[in-house]
Amino acid sequence: MTNTPTFLKDAKNVLRDQGFATSNVWYHGTSSALVDSIKTQGLKRSGDKVLKNAAKQTMATIGNSYTESIEPVFLTQSKELAFYWAQQTVRNRSVRVEGNEHPVVFAVSLPEDLNAKVKPDVGAASLLLLKEGEDFMAYLAGIYQENGFGIPDIDLMQANRLEYLTVLGMAYINTDIGANYLELVSE
């Protein structure tokens, strides 16, 4: 299991028998290299322009066209899960971007109208079938066990939408989130 910093270990407060509790407070994990931009501009859909441009250049180099897709802002109910995804962001950026980056987590406190737009991330089913998804499921199982619950029993292809949110802690919002709703989580 990933060495999650103690100040981010919150599953004991948000994990229940039926999964992760929801509220109007969400978390987003990312790279420290993006903190200043996020503090200024907020969380933007498909926000990591450096990675998008690198992918576009790679595709142009090999002669393929690149159609940029607009991804939503991914959220979760747990700082621990956000930290996991932050580590993945740092790892993905390290392949294309030089620098000394580390995982960071933002708290996202949404007003009622925006909170109503947060949806379960059912699209994660395809990710979870890959090696990266297996790693996440192992990490998630560790969180459940560490907090006195059994390993999550979920059939990714048969699960209902809500299970992606409650059992897996995977959500998204298909709109940009202003900086005024964000706070960097620190000790």
Side-chain angles (χ1 to χ4, degrees), residues 41-47 49 70-73 108 110 114 117 173-182:
Q41 299 177 29
L43 289 169
K44 302 288 187 183
R45 292 174 294 156
S46 297
K49 300 297 182 207
I70 304 283
E71 292 182 0
V73 174
V108 182
L110 297 176
L114 285 178
K117 294 180 180 186
I173 187 168
N174 200 16
T175 188
D176 297 340
I177 300 173
N180 55 315
Y181 300 123
L182 307 174

Side-chain angles (χ1 to χ4, degrees), residues 7 28 30 32 35 39 103-107 182-187:
F7 75 97
H28 179 82
T30 191
S32 58
V35 167
K39 283 183 172 181
V104 296
V105 172
F106 276 92
L182 307 174
E183 183 178 336
L184 187 62
V185 178
S186 59
E187 287 186 81

Side-chain angles (χ1 to χ4, degrees), residues 44-75:
K44 302 288 187 183
R45 292 174 294 156
S46 297
D48 194 338
K49 300 297 182 207
V50 171
L51 281 186
K52 291 286 182 185
N53 288 335
K56 189 182 292 187
Q57 289 174 347
T58 299
M59 295 306 282
T61 300
I62 62 174
N64 288 342
S65 61
Y66 176 76
T67 304
E68 188 172 326
S69 61
I70 304 283
E71 292 182 0
V73 174
F74 296 102
L75 302 169

Side-chain angles (χ1 to χ4, degrees), residues 121-139:
D121 186 8
V122 179
S126 59
L127 164 72
L128 296 175
L129 298 174
L130 303 173
K131 170 73 171 116
E132 292 86 354
E134 289 177 22
D135 294 344
F136 172 73
M137 291 302 288
Y139 179 75

Side-chain angles (χ1 to χ4, degrees), residues 86-100:
Q87 288 184 307
Q88 301 314 302
T89 300
V90 169
R91 183 185 53 93
N92 292 342
R93 285 179 56 85
S94 72
V95 172
R96 299 188 182 264
V97 181
E98 288 186 34
N100 186 16

Side-chain angles (χ1 to χ4, degrees), residues 7-35:
F7 75 97
L8 295 175
K9 288 190 161 277
D10 67 342
K12 65 184 173 292
N13 299 322
V14 295
L15 190 57
R16 310 280 185 268
D17 285 331
Q18 59 275 33
F20 290 94
T22 60
S23 70
N24 71 320
V25 178
W26 300 89
Y27 299 95
H28 179 82
T30 191
S31 167
S32 58
L34 303 174
V35 167

